[in-house]
Amino acid sequence: MLIGIPKEIKTNENRVGLTPESVHEVVHHGHTVIVETGAGLGIGKTDDDYLNAGASIVDTASEVFAKAEMIVKVKEPQKIEYEQLRADQILFTYLHLSPDPAQTQGLMDSGCIAVAYETVTNPHGGLPLLAPMSEVAGRMATQVGAYHLQKLNGGLGALLGAVPGVEASKVVVLGGGVAGLNATKMAVGLGAEVVVLDRNVERLRYLDDVFNGRVKTIFSTAHAVEQHCTTADLVIGTVLIPGANAPKLITNAILQKMKKGAVIVDVAIDQGGCTDVSKPTTHAQPTFVANDVVVYCVANMPGGVPLTSTFALNNATLPFVLSIADKGIKQALLQDEHLLNGLNVCQGKMTCQAVAQAQNIAFTDAKEAATAL
């Protein structure tokens, strides 16, 4: 199979779909890889690194889209990219379609076969291709939250961790999944007072055991969210419904009661965000102020640490890239129910039920669509 790696063009996105090391493995399996010039510079990898791994270098993204049978990316295709996709071409990347009807329509109009990293599953009910970026984003959330709590950055002027004789800052983590766990690890390590809210009692029991009582675990209700967010210095929103829009847990009413200079880091922004005011921001301009609260909504947080993120992501995606390339997309999908769960768009059909419901469009069963390929 001919696999193409274009340079990412989303604002401040420095990750790349495949590292040279991954390219070497793909070539070892007998496939051909073309890479847009400069695609790896954000992680310190040159065109020569890709050439030495067995890839060919092309001058433009349009050459990649025109020639490749499968496009491997990191972030969702921008308009100029999805307009270049063609019928039966495979796209393998993060999509986050629920809050993005324009991209959804563009992918459906192209006739491509789009597999989303974020809805691929594993036998344990996890999301293995989302997990490494959730780990990064969760850890970053505590870092950037601590930074923006500084007075000069718009925050209330509090140090996240305690010093003798002064109360520690209160960090509230909404969602105890992978991102929430990693945000909590960082906050506990810095000495903050940490409260984690989740609706899964078994997950709360697990977190209580992991942190040995160092964090408060609270069953999430509307009352509990309001109670803890309105007394928090930093709120980290990590709630996730796979493939669907994130629930709006932090309402305008709650925002109005929060501390002046408190900080919200909305890790759920890729799925529309978990506050009433959430809107995507960039690493260049990461925050805005709403009701005197600093809100951070960078939609590609792991792009801020592309070296770590790219290698972590490739560790998870490479086996699936090889499966699709070795077997062909139809056989790969039909032999692996977990990869099949990643199929979001197939030859003009919407095959992710959560997206179909969010956008009120027709849904086609993924196995039915894959069987018809």
Side-chain angles (χ1 to χ4, degrees):
M1 183 176 285
L2 177 54
I3 299 169
I5 313 298
K7 185 175 182 178
E8 297 292 324
I9 61 172
K10 187 166 185 172
T11 304
N12 304 127
E13 182 52 71
N14 290 297
R15 289 172 288 179
V16 63
L18 291 179
T19 65
E21 291 80 0
S22 293
V23 167
H24 184 276
E25 190 69 15
V26 171
V27 172
H28 179 70
H29 277 242
H31 306 293
T32 302
V33 181
I34 56 174
V35 180
E36 181 184 357
T37 184
L41 292 178
I43 62 166
K45 299 297 183 181
T46 66
D47 289 351
D48 283 343
D49 291 325
Y50 281 97
L51 288 169
N52 291 335
S56 298
I57 303 298
V58 298
D59 292 332
T60 64
S62 59
E63 292 178 75
V64 175
F65 282 93
K67 296 177 179 179
E69 297 171 80
M70 174 164 62
I71 301 289
V72 178
K73 281 176 40 62
V74 178
K75 289 306 292 178
E76 70 278 1
Q78 306 301 291
K79 185 173 187 290
I80 193 173
E81 294 177 312
Y82 61 66
E83 287 180 342
Q84 296 182 69
L85 293 168
R86 63 180 187 272
D88 297 329
Q89 193 171 36
I90 304 161
L91 174 66
F92 194 35
T93 189
Y94 287 116
L95 294 177
H96 300 294
L97 291 177
S98 285
D100 193 350
Q103 185 202 168
T104 300
Q105 192 60 53
L107 294 179
M108 292 175 68
D109 289 345
S110 75
C112 78
I113 302 162
V115 181
Y117 293 162
E118 72 272 11
T119 60
V120 173
T121 57
N122 65 20
H124 311 293
L127 303 170
L129 306 191
L130 188 62
M133 296 304 92
S134 295
E135 291 171 342
V136 172
R139 295 182 184 216
M140 284 187 70
T142 304
Q143 287 185 190
V144 299
Y147 175 80
H148 287 288
L149 274 173
Q150 296 177 45
K151 194 69 173 179
L152 289 177
N153 299 321
L156 54 82
L159 183 67
L160 199 61
V163 296
V166 181
E167 288 187 6
S169 295
K170 179 177 178 179
V171 178
V172 173
V173 180
L174 302 177
V178 176
L181 170 63
N182 281 272
T184 301
K185 284 181 179 178
M186 296 290 283
V188 168
L190 289 170
E193 174 195 344
V194 186
V195 179
V196 182
L197 285 79
D198 200 287
R199 295 185 66 84
N200 184 329
V201 176
E202 286 303 314
R203 187 63 178 179
L204 293 176
R205 191 170 285 123
Y206 168 79
L207 294 170
D208 188 69
D209 184 54
V210 166
F211 292 103
N212 195 28
R214 177 64 183 81
V215 305
K216 294 180 181 178
T217 55
I218 305 293
F219 185 78
S220 183
T221 63
H223 178 266
V225 170
E226 179 173 355
Q227 176 187 356
H228 289 285
C229 287
T230 53
T231 56
D233 300 299
L234 169 61
V235 178
I236 299 174
T238 70
V239 290
L240 172 70
I241 301 173
N245 288 329
K248 302 295 185 184
L249 299 184
I250 303 176
T251 63
N252 280 314
I254 291 175
L255 276 166
Q256 290 168 9
K257 296 178 182 178
M258 289 181 67
K259 294 181 181 180
K260 181 177 181 178
V263 175
I264 297 172
V265 178
D266 194 349
V267 180
I269 189 62
D270 274 327
Q271 296 295 136
C274 62
T275 88
D276 278 346
V277 297
S278 293
K279 57 184 179 182
T281 61
T282 67
H283 287 288
Q285 294 182 304
T287 64
F288 58 91
V289 177
N291 293 310
D292 295 321
V293 175
V294 179
V295 185
Y296 178 103
C297 288
V298 174
N300 61 328
M301 289 180 68
V305 287
L307 183 60
T308 299
S309 298
T310 297
F311 278 90
L313 181 60
N314 270 222
N315 290 342
T317 58
L318 181 59
F320 292 98
V321 171
L322 292 172
S323 176
I324 294 170
D326 291 346
K327 300 175 182 178
I329 185 63
K330 179 175 181 176
Q331 187 176 353
L333 290 171
L334 293 178
Q335 289 186 354
D336 185 346
E337 63 179 312
H338 301 294
L339 180 61
L340 183 63
N341 287 334
L343 185 64
N344 277 208
V345 177
C346 186
Q347 296 179 324
K349 300 180 178 68
M350 169 52 60
T351 55
C352 178
Q353 191 165 27
V355 176
Q357 290 175 345
Q359 298 186 15
N360 194 28
I361 55 180
F363 166 71
T364 299
D365 179 74
K367 187 172 184 178
E368 176 186 330
T371 301
L373 287 172

